[in-house]
Amino acid sequence: MKFRLSAIASLAFLCGASFAAGGEGLTTPVKLPAYDAARPSCRAPTGLQKKLVFVQDNRREFMQGVGRGLEAAARARGLGYSVAFANNDPALMIKQVGGIATDQTGAIVVAPIDPPSLAPALKKVFGAGAYVGAIVAPPATTVLNAPQYLTGKVLAEAAANYIRTRLGAKAKVVLLTHDSLQFLAPRFTAMRDTLRTLPGVTIVADISPATVDKEGGYRTMKTILLAQPNIDVVLGADTVVLGALAALREAGKARADQFLGGIDGEQEAVAEIKKGGSPYKASISLASSIFGYAMGQQAADWLDGKSIPQAMDILPKALTTSNIADYERDTANPGAVYADPSRRASYLKMYGNICFETRDNYINFPWSSETK
């Protein structure tokens, strides 16, 4: 065992990563190779419950989709499944994860509210030998992220094309950002970079709502409308942009020629796009039920001693009226997507390898496939 750990540490050093057998994991950014599905299994953890817990930040549709995927995978693999709901309360989430660390739960997936304060509790879960899947923010056995700059660029380019062709190349734009979350900031950098190429565009508000949900978007847009009553474009996460749409409608300021666009492919956003005549024109899908299902499968594989990915990209897709039917079919049955390599590859890209015996090699830096 000493030789095995020494070899892992040497590999991490050669890759340019910082490795610590004492529990800090890989702390320096490193470019991960493609996931090798043929990597041999290793020793499975013992003494852990065959149980998966989703530590959920809030009830926005994107996270509900993650839960549907996780639950379906747990059912398919014979794992118990439950949800620890934190309701946007970082202190409660720390308490929940602390309890999980001591009850021998075999696997968790977490959507961190405040990653730095949560990290010590997560490290205790690692110490118990359990699987930790994290959405965007490390530390984690497997980190799920999106190529965030590309994701923001896809949405911004759709908006820019609409501004050029439908709004006479002029628009007042609102960006509802999450710049306080460093892991998501690149998507908003991409939006600013793209919109900057249009001389007729004025960003009249560039602000982070207090909460990443409909209520946060609604309250922020109500405030913006006091100073800027005529808005042409609103961009952000689906959940906050849907809240902004509610505020625009309430104020009588929603127009069919507006461009509201979001990220996440939430069901309500999809319904707005489908019905036509809505200001909501685009959503960039991150197919949460599909990556949730994948993480649930990886949790079960971990408990079986298999080698699983250290990181995954969820690939952005611009939803249009021509592809929404396929998207709805896939997200309603994520197990069928996961079982079909070609369909799965259109949504997910996997990187690196880790198993129980190499568990100290977990990701403990802000991983992104876009890092040079």
Side-chain angles (χ1 to χ4, degrees):
M1 189 63 181
K2 289 183 179 178
F3 174 78
R4 182 186 296 274
L5 289 174
S6 176
I8 295 164
S10 297
L11 176 60
F13 177 79
L14 290 172
C15 291
S18 175
F19 174 80
E24 291 304 311
L26 301 178
T27 58
T28 300
V30 58
K31 189 174 180 64
L32 296 173
Y35 168 62
D36 179 4
R39 188 72 63 86
S41 296
C42 70
R43 179 168 57 91
T46 58
L48 297 177
Q49 298 184 68
K50 297 287 187 178
K51 178 181 176 182
L52 172 61
V53 177
F54 180 28
V55 186
Q56 184 175 343
D57 57 353
N58 61 37
R59 297 193 190 279
R60 68 188 188 273
E61 171 56 33
F62 181 73
M63 289 302 168
Q64 300 287 66
V66 177
R68 286 193 296 272
L70 288 170
E71 186 173 15
R75 187 168 55 248
R77 296 294 296 274
L79 300 181
Y81 177 75
S82 63
V83 176
F85 179 60
N87 196 28
N88 289 323
D89 183 342
L92 176 57
M93 180 173 280
I94 292 168
K95 183 177 179 181
Q96 290 167 334
V97 172
I100 289 167
T102 60
D103 73 357
Q104 297 182 305
T105 291
I108 75 169
V109 170
V110 61
I113 298 169
D114 182 51
S117 66
L118 185 64
L122 289 175
K123 289 175 184 177
K124 292 180 181 178
V125 181
F126 291 122
Y131 167 88
V132 177
I135 299 169
V136 180
T141 312
T142 302
V143 172
L144 182 285
N145 203 349
Q148 295 292 347
Y149 190 91
L150 176 61
T151 300
K153 185 178 181 181
V154 170
L155 177 59
E157 286 182 341
N161 184 60
Y162 187 91
I163 292 166
R164 283 190 293 263
T165 60
R166 301 288 299 276
L167 297 179
K170 296 180 179 180
K172 292 183 177 181
V173 177
V174 169
L175 298 183
L176 298 177
T177 72
H178 309 147
D179 282 339
S180 60
L181 299 175
Q182 62 168 309
F183 312 103
L184 299 181
R187 64 171 61 170
F188 304 106
T189 299
M191 293 178 194
R192 298 179 191 105
D193 289 348
T194 301
L195 294 171
R196 199 176 292 125
T197 66
L198 299 176
V201 166
T202 302
I203 298 176
V204 297
D206 186 334
I207 187 170
S208 296
T211 56
V212 185
D213 54 17
K214 287 179 68 175
E215 182 65 18
Y218 170 80
R219 290 187 179 278
T220 303
M221 181 54 72
K222 284 195 68 166
T223 300
I224 292 169
L225 288 172
L226 296 176
Q228 297 286 342
N230 296 305
I231 300 298
D232 301 303
V233 175
V234 182
L235 305 179
D238 276 331
T239 188
V240 294
V241 176
L242 287 164
L245 175 59
L248 286 165
R249 284 174 169 160
E250 182 182 272
K253 294 296 182 179
R255 313 188 313 267
D257 68 341
Q258 288 168 318
F259 185 103
L260 273 64
I263 295 168
D264 289 338
E266 294 200 0
Q267 291 181 355
E268 188 176 343
V270 170
E272 286 285 345
I273 295 168
K274 287 171 64 177
K275 70 185 182 184
S278 170
Y280 220 102
K281 299 297 193 299
S283 181
I284 307 305
S285 161
L286 296 177
S288 61
S289 68
I290 292 173
F291 78 69
Y293 189 91
M295 296 181 93
Q297 286 283 342
Q298 289 157 11
D301 287 344
W302 174 268
L303 292 171
D304 287 343
K306 295 180 180 178
S307 183
I308 65 171
Q310 289 173 286
M312 282 196 301
D313 264 336
I314 181 70
L315 303 175
K317 287 176 175 284
L319 299 182
T320 66
T321 53
S322 64
N323 65 15
I324 280 179
D326 289 341
Y327 168 78
E328 290 181 318
R329 176 202 65 194
D330 287 350
T331 54
N333 189 4
V337 175
Y338 191 79
D340 182 335
S342 62
R343 285 168 69 191
R344 183 176 64 204
S346 72
Y347 289 98
L348 298 171
K349 190 171 182 180
M350 304 179 189
Y351 304 83
N353 281 78
I354 190 169
C355 71
F356 176 71
E357 289 185 353
T358 61
R359 61 192 179 278
D360 283 340
N361 214 20
Y362 65 87
I363 297 296
N364 196 11
F365 62 85
W367 177 82
S368 170
S369 62
E370 294 177 319
T371 300
K372 303 300 183 184

